[in-house]
């Protein structure tokens, strides 16, 4: 049953009914409400909205980019994911403008900042966004300089460095022996904690590193997430066994399930490596672009929950979003109204996740093409401008 689209369109209506007009950093203006909630049962289907088509490959690509610990848009661009193009280009425009205007760039380095008009080297200009992205695709030196976004999500998830560590490095004191070492791999630690202490209430991953916010092109919108697990009942485990092995169980399935339930119970299911626990994920988001961003956020954390559940042999349970400043940009109002008129389709299912061992492969064996959807039916895309 698809209640996700209903929750989402109800949220759009809530903003239209109760939102207050606010200014914002982009200059676009918003209608905003504060403190809202999304809750989805993963057994109801994969959480990808159906009242408009959502580009699933971009969702996958961005999440894998986070999990790789990457902070350069090269990986995204190479995989035709353009979520971060605007932020990278805006950063380039801001930092190259003065040098271009003052014509203070050595001619041999001009290509790193802009190009020339015609054949006159006295009239350099900044690259257009299309030219900028093409340079990211083809020029490694340019990509290294302008493709970097600073210590955004992937850096914090996989290589967190706290204030004291950063201070010691800057001061170059006797305590900075770990100057070139990696920071804390929160994802690896989280997976290990799920395997060794699944009832821990401390299993959180944080992207809001206050000591590095000023170095980021854009501070994290979704700031942190937390895992929760619970023990599955015998009946739930039998249902998991049946749902994942219907073809193998065949005609004798009902008898075999009845036998397991009465006589062998958990022992038999343990021998078949049937999950013993269900796992839920809750994320917190300070700023919510409800029309363009939130559908991606929901699907991304749903996919993360599925991947981590497979890695630790648990069943994906609930996906929960705590939303802070929930807004519609002023140039998304009519698009939101159009989406609210559409009736949802049933949610899709996620295809089988590859058996990559993340500690060995460090996530780099995963490719966007590894993840597929089954029976995704949706209404057409609704285009809306992205505010950077």
């Amino acid at each position: 049953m698809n209640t996700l689209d209903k929750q989402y369109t109800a949220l759009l209506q809530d903003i239209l009914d109760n939102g207050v007009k606010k200014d914002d950093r982009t200059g676009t203006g918003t209608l905003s409400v504060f403190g809202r909630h999304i809750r989805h049962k993963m057994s109801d289907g994969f959480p990808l909205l159906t009242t408009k088509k959502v580009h699933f490959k971009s969702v996958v690509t961005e999440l894998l980019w986070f999990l790789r610990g990457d902070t350069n848009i090269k990986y995204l661009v190479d995989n035709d994911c353009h979520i971060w193009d605007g932020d990278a280009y805006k950063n380039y425009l801001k930092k190259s403008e003065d040098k271009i205007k003052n014509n203070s760039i050595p001619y041999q380095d001009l290509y790193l900042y802009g190009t020339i008009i015609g054949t006159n080297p006295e009239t350099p200009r900044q690259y257009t966004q299309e030219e900028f992205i093409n340079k990211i695709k083809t020029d490694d030196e340019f990509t290294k300089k302008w493709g970097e976004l600073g210590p955004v999500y992937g850096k914090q998830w996989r290589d967190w460095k706290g204030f004291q560590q950063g201070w010691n490095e800057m001061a170059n004191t006797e305590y900075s022996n770990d100057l070139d070492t990696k920071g804390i791999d929160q994802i690896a630690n989280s997976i290990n904690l799920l395997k060794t202490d699944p009832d821990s209430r401390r299993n959180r991953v944080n992207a809001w590193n206050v000591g590095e916010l000023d170095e980021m092109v854009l501070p994290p919108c979704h700031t942190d997430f937390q895992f929760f697990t619970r023990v599955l009942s015998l009946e739930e485990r039998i249902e998991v066994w049946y749902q994942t092995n219907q073809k193998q169980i065949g005609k004798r399935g009902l008898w075999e399930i009845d036998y397991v339930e009465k006589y062998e119970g958990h022992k038999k299911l343990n021998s078949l490596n049937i999950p013993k626990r269900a796992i839920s994920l809750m994320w917190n988001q300070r700023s919510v672009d409800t029309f363009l961003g939130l559908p991606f956020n929901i699907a991304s954390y749903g996919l993360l929950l599925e991947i981590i559940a497979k890695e630790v042999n648990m069943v994906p349970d609930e996906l929960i979003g705590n939303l802070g400043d929930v807004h519609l940009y002023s140039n998304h109002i009519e698009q939101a109204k159009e989406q609210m008129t559409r009736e949802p389709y049933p949610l899709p299912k996620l295809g089988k996740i590859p058996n990559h061992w993340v500690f060995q492969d460090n996530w780099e064996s995963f490719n966007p093409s590894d993840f597929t959807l089954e029976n995704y039916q949706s209404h057409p895309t609704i285009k809306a401008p992205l505010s950077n």
Side-chain angles (χ1 to χ4, degrees), residues 88-89 92 128-136 142 146:
Y89 184 62
Y92 155 75
T128 65
Q129 185 162 333
E130 183 179 356
E131 290 170 333
F132 175 82
I133 296 303
N134 189 57
K135 293 286 286 185
I136 294 291
F142 184 88
W146 297 116

Side-chain angles (χ1 to χ4, degrees), residues 3 6 8 94 105 133 175 197 213-214 282 319 376:
T3 64
K6 293 293 187 182
Y8 177 78
K94 179 181 178 182
I105 309 165
I133 296 303
Y175 301 105
D197 187 9
L213 292 179
D214 289 344
M282 180 175 70
L319 178 68
Y376 181 43

Side-chain angles (χ1 to χ4, degrees), residues 302-364:
L303 182 59
L304 178 62
L305 177 55
E306 291 274 5
I307 293 172
I308 298 297
K310 182 177 177 63
E311 173 66 19
V312 299
N313 194 31
M314 295 182 188
V315 177
D317 196 3
E318 284 194 294
L319 178 68
I320 303 159
N322 294 319
L323 312 177
D325 187 315
V326 186
H327 51 266
L328 278 171
Y329 283 102
S330 59
N331 52 5
H332 294 171
I333 301 296
E334 295 308 313
Q335 293 92 328
K337 289 179 179 178
E338 178 183 350
Q339 186 170 355
M340 288 163 54
T341 67
R342 297 175 172 184
E343 284 297 316
Y345 293 105
L347 292 175
K349 298 291 184 183
L350 186 68
K352 189 174 181 181
I353 298 175
N355 288 313
H356 295 314
W357 185 32
V358 299
F359 289 116
Q360 176 179 313
D361 298 327
N362 202 32
W363 300 100
E364 294 186 5

Side-chain angles (χ1 to χ4, degrees), residues 98-112:
D98 287 343
K99 287 184 176 292
I100 290 286
K101 284 183 176 179
N102 297 330
N103 200 15
S104 60
I105 309 165
Y107 185 78
Q108 66 271 18
D109 295 332
L110 181 60
Y111 76 99
L112 288 175

Side-chain angles (χ1 to χ4, degrees), residues 243-296:
Q243 291 298 329
T244 55
N245 296 278
Q246 288 182 56
K247 293 181 181 179
Q248 289 80 3
I249 292 174
K251 293 181 180 179
R252 57 192 288 262
L254 296 179
W255 173 86
E256 191 169 359
I257 288 173
D258 186 60
Y259 178 81
V260 169
E261 186 172 2
K262 287 184 177 179
Y263 300 105
E264 294 196 354
H266 290 288
K267 180 179 178 181
K268 172 67 173 178
L269 298 174
N270 291 345
S271 71
L272 296 171
N273 201 34
I274 301 301
K276 300 177 182 179
R277 284 180 175 260
I279 179 172
S280 297
L281 182 152
M282 180 175 70
W283 87 91
N284 295 305
Q285 190 160 343
R286 65 170 180 87
S287 177
V288 186
D289 176 353
T290 309
F291 188 76
L292 288 180
L294 183 57
F296 272 75

Side-chain angles (χ1 to χ4, degrees), residues 152-269:
V152 293
Y153 297 98
K155 170 68 162 57
Q156 304 306 329
W157 286 14
R158 302 297 313 283
D159 188 18
W160 171 285
K161 291 186 178 180
F163 174 77
Q164 188 60 50
Q165 183 177 1
W167 177 263
N168 289 338
E169 289 182 4
M170 288 188 293
N172 196 26
T173 67
E174 60 182 311
Y175 301 105
S176 59
N177 295 328
D178 59 347
L179 184 63
D180 297 320
T181 62
K182 285 181 67 66
I184 299 168
D185 188 338
Q186 295 188 83
I187 297 294
N189 287 354
S190 189
I191 290 172
N192 183 63
L193 194 58
L194 286 168
K195 292 180 176 180
T196 59
D197 187 9
D199 285 321
S200 174
R201 297 187 294 270
R202 301 178 180 181
N203 201 331
R204 300 188 68 173
V205 172
N206 202 331
W208 191 261
N209 189 338
V210 295
E212 295 187 328
L213 292 179
D214 289 344
E215 301 172 40
M216 303 176 190
V217 167
L218 182 69
C221 293
H222 37 106
T223 57
D224 61 281
F225 59 92
Q226 178 178 355
F227 290 110
F228 173 90
T229 78
R230 63 177 179 84
V231 174
L232 291 169
S233 68
L234 178 60
E235 291 75 16
E236 287 177 311
R237 295 187 73 197
I238 289 174
E239 178 63 21
V240 172
W241 174 43
Y242 179 68
Q243 291 298 329
T244 55
N245 296 278
Q246 288 182 56
K247 293 181 181 179
Q248 289 80 3
I249 292 174
K251 293 181 180 179
R252 57 192 288 262
L254 296 179
W255 173 86
E256 191 169 359
I257 288 173
D258 186 60
Y259 178 81
V260 169
E261 186 172 2
K262 287 184 177 179
Y263 300 105
E264 294 196 354
H266 290 288
K267 180 179 178 181
K268 172 67 173 178
L269 298 174

